Amino acid sequence: MNVDCLDKAIRRVADFPKQGILFYDITGVLVDKDAFKFCIDRMVDLYKDSKIDAIAGIESRGFLFAAPLAEKLGLPLVLIRKKGKLPGDTYKCSYSLEYGTAEIEVHKSDVKKGQKFLVIDDLIATGGTLAASKNLIEQGGSSVEEFFGIIGLPELNYGKVLSPVKVTTLINYSGK
């Protein structure tokens, strides 16, 4: 399995969730056991020797890649969820999306002061969700060491938004 096979498993959906957006759908990766295995194996290779203490997965598709990686590396998995989905005390952060606004939260008790995080999402577009996730983790006294996405849309300039934190993706597409 290689990146070409991964590319074939990713569905492209025009005008979703609104007119003019080309949506890269990773559900094709999930139903293709070889493509999914390629993603997880590649992530393990990338992070098995890293100095991270925890993995944060972003709702909802980020969970699907963060959970198996956390299990394979023996690290805690912290869930970053949409507003109102977590009970108890949370850190909160509002941000802009490429097609609207949103707010995310994380349990305060899940972010331990001084931890070094890897933050995972399925797709990195403008970087807004990841930047907000970094804000949440920093509210808890921890740091983000790296961002990871299966798909990257570098033409949307996420690198500028997320700098100086390293961003790694398995495959990149034009944001148009």
Side-chain angles (χ1 to χ4, degrees):
M1 185 71 184
N2 60 32
V3 173
D4 292 334
C5 293
L6 176 61
D7 177 53
K8 289 177 183 158
I10 296 168
R11 297 178 182 134
R12 286 101 167 133
V13 183
D15 300 322
F16 183 83
K18 71 176 198 174
Q19 189 73 25
I21 302 284
L22 177 58
F23 185 80
Y24 293 94
D25 181 11
I26 58 91
T27 60
V29 173
L30 301 172
V31 298
D32 181 328
K33 65 180 177 52
D34 293 328
F36 186 61
K37 183 179 183 331
F38 170 79
C39 292
I40 302 306
D41 288 350
R42 185 69 184 111
M43 292 166 68
V44 169
D45 287 345
L46 287 167
Y47 299 108
K48 65 185 174 194
D49 297 322
S50 70
K51 304 291 185 209
I52 56 174
D53 302 309
I55 295 173
I58 298 175
E59 186 170 345
S60 65
R61 294 175 303 270
F63 297 170
L64 302 170
F65 297 95
L69 180 63
E71 188 278 327
K72 287 187 179 289
L73 297 182
L75 294 172
L77 173 64
V78 174
L79 302 182
I80 296 177
R81 305 249 7 226
K82 295 173 185 169
K83 179 182 177 180
K85 300 286 185 174
L86 293 172
D89 292 332
T90 61
Y91 297 116
K92 301 170 185 353
C93 185
S94 296
Y95 64 101
S96 296
L97 296 163
E98 58 272 25
Y99 47 82
T101 60
E103 186 173 2
I104 55 175
E105 301 176 325
V106 67
H107 275 129
K108 287 182 179 181
S109 61
D110 292 347
V111 180
K112 312 289 188 254
K113 188 173 184 167
Q115 284 181 308
K116 296 177 181 178
F117 275 83
L118 168 65
V119 178
I120 297 176
D121 206 354
D122 66 322
L123 181 137
I124 304 174
T126 64
T129 306
L130 292 173
S133 298
K134 181 176 180 278
N135 178 292
L136 292 175
I137 290 165
E138 289 174 344
Q139 286 180 54
S142 292
S143 64
V144 173
E145 297 300 301
E146 190 168 337
F147 295 112
F148 176 85
I150 301 301
I151 301 168
L153 305 178
E155 288 183 8
L156 297 180
N157 297 313
Y158 62 73
K160 288 181 184 177
V161 172
L162 300 174
S163 180
V165 178
K166 181 179 178 182
V167 178
T168 300
T169 58
L170 293 185
I171 193 165
N172 290 316
Y173 294 111
S174 168
K176 298 175 183 174

